[in-house]
């Protein structure tokens, strides 16, 4: 479910499950962890680009897999996501997310693990979880607030609204928006300009910048996993996810 290629000193990792808009299931999380560990050990790679196949970057965690999870399984799923996503974020080399399309839920959260996000004009961002009866569970509650201002983060998380690439640019969620056909060349040029700089200095600069960003992040991610887990087995979670899977309209939420 992942494709990997190297162009000189730049690695390109593509989430490749286009039939499900690259939705992330447990198997994909484990594959991601293994691949990122391999990339971390390859000293010839100086910058990584993350992107998605087809019309999505990643359309979220796999709703079909989450639908029937117990609270305990929800916790484990959240922690499994944290393990893989944190591995991406903790890469010593810079990571650029080239957001080619939908970056929803876990997709927006994966992009947030990158150091730089650039978006195609077609990209769309959202944290739609509260409309599915759950909270963001792969770091959205922690990384979005550390990336954009609190009002914007809260608005995205509490309304579940989808924002355009342009709006994402205005709020500082991405640093550039380019036409879709220019996305990969722009990402590659950016990656090559980073890779041409002194590797130890680049690595140390990233580590230095990340200090304040990452303070207490691990504890906060664990707290997120507990709150995420608590939403499972509720009537609202079961109803909303079943409606998505069955392609039927949701009924009203009951708070149960
Ligand atoms: N999980 C599982 N399957 C998904 C999926 C997801 N998150 N997103 C899309 N798919 C599947 C669809 O079920 C569909 O499969 P079939 O062809 O087998 O029916 C296929 O991908 C194509 O999707 P659509 O037919 O829905 O495509 P569309 O163009 O009509 O709509 C979309 C695109 C608006 C992105 C819509 O697919 C959608 O709303 N997806 C769900 C987005 C979402 O809510 N993501 C958040 C998940 S929760 C989360 O991520 C929690 C967390 O933090 C851990």
């Amino acid at each position: 479910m992942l494709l990997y290629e190297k162009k000189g000193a730049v690695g390109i990792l593509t989430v490749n499950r286009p039939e499900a808009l690259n939705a992330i299931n447990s198997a994909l999380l484990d594959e991601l962890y293994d691949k990122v560990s391999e990339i971390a050990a390859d000293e010839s790679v100086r910058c990584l680009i993350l992107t998605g196949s087809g019309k999505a970057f990643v359309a979220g965690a796999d709703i079909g897999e989450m639908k029937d999870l117990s609270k305990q399984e929800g916790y484990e799923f959240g922690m499994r996501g944290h393990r893989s996503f944190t591995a991406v974020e903790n890469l010593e080399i810079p990571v650029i997310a080239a957001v080619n399309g939908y970056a929803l839920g876990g997709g927006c959260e994966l992009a947030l693990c990158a150091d730089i996000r650039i978006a195609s004009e077609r990209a769309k961002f959202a944290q739609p979880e509260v409309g599915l009866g759950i909270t963001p569970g792969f770091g959205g509650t922690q990384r979005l607030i550390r990336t954009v201002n609190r009002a914007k983060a809260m608005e995205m998380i509490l309304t579940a609204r989808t924002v355009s690439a342009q709006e994402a640019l205005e709020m500082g969620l991405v640093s550039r928006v380019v036409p879709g056909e220019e996305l990969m060349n722009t990402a590659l040029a950016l990656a090559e300009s980073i890779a041409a700089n002194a590797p130890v200095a680049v690595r140390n600069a990233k580590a230095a910048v990340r200090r304040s960003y990452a303070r207490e992040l691990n504890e906060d991610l664990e707290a997120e996993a507990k709150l995420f887990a608590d939403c499972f087995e509720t009537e609202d979670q079961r109803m909303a996810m079943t409606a998505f899977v069955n392609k039927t309209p949701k009924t009203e939420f009951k708070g149960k």
Side-chain angles (χ1 to χ4, degrees):
M1 291 179 273
L2 291 173
L3 302 173
Y4 182 63
E5 64 173 310
K6 269 165 74 175
K7 284 198 172 156
V10 178
I12 304 174
L13 185 58
T14 305
V15 183
N16 183 44
R17 198 189 166 207
E19 69 284 3
L21 301 185
N22 304 325
I24 296 186
N25 58 19
S26 295
L28 206 158
L29 283 176
D30 290 348
E31 203 177 318
L32 180 64
Y33 183 83
D34 291 345
K35 183 47 83 179
V36 167
S37 306
E38 239 175 70
I39 295 167
D42 181 350
E43 288 182 5
S44 69
V45 182
R46 293 190 184 172
C47 190
L48 180 70
I49 297 173
L50 259 182
T51 192
S53 286
K55 71 174 179 181
F57 176 71
V58 166
D62 191 314
I63 299 169
E65 181 173 342
M66 286 187 292
K67 180 171 76 71
D68 297 319
L69 296 185
S70 65
K71 289 185 190 294
Q72 177 58 29
E73 288 165 340
Y75 177 76
E76 286 160 14
F77 189 62
M79 290 306 287
R80 198 172 197 155
H82 289 335
R83 172 178 177 261
S84 302
F85 280 28
T86 300
V88 172
E89 188 176 60
N90 284 349
L91 276 168
E92 291 188 336
I93 55 168
V95 179
I96 299 170
V99 182
N100 52 305
Y102 292 115
L104 310 178
C108 188
E109 292 169 309
L110 180 60
L112 284 165
C113 293
D115 301 298
I116 299 171
R117 283 161 293 287
I118 63 171
S120 145
E121 285 168 347
R122 293 191 289 265
K124 291 191 191 315
F125 297 81
Q127 294 293 162
E129 289 87 349
V130 293
L132 286 163
I134 56 170
T135 66
F138 288 167
T141 66
Q142 301 309 312
R143 293 192 177 99
L144 192 58
I145 190 71
R146 285 165 165 86
T147 304
V148 304
N149 75 43
R150 180 166 150 220
K152 291 288 184 190
M154 279 294 192
E155 189 183 318
M156 279 186 73
I157 290 169
L158 300 180
T159 65
R161 185 169 71 82
T162 299
V163 305
S164 66
Q166 191 55 39
E167 200 177 342
L169 179 66
E170 283 154 18
M171 73 169 83
L173 179 52
V174 302
S175 59
R176 294 190 201 187
V177 176
V178 296
E181 59 280 10
E182 288 172 25
L183 181 69
M184 284 315 286
N185 280 343
T186 307
L188 209 50
L190 206 51
E192 280 163 356
S193 72
I194 290 170
N197 290 324
V200 174
V202 167
R203 194 175 65 214
N204 287 3
K206 170 170 171 171
V209 172
R210 277 185 44 76
R211 280 191 67 82
S212 64
Y213 171 87
R215 203 159 285 146
E216 297 180 12
L217 181 58
N218 286 342
E219 298 95 290
D220 292 344
L221 290 172
E222 185 167 7
E224 181 193 77
K226 289 182 181 150
L227 293 162
F228 175 70
D230 187 52
C231 300
F232 285 85
E233 299 180 56
T234 61
E235 278 182 39
D236 287 343
Q237 175 265 321
R238 295 295 199 242
M239 176 280 293
M241 291 197 181
T242 304
F244 178 82
V245 169
N246 294 345
K247 302 186 192 293
T248 53
K250 285 188 286 191
T251 56
E252 215 172 294
F253 287 122
K254 293 184 177 155
K256 290 192 214 160

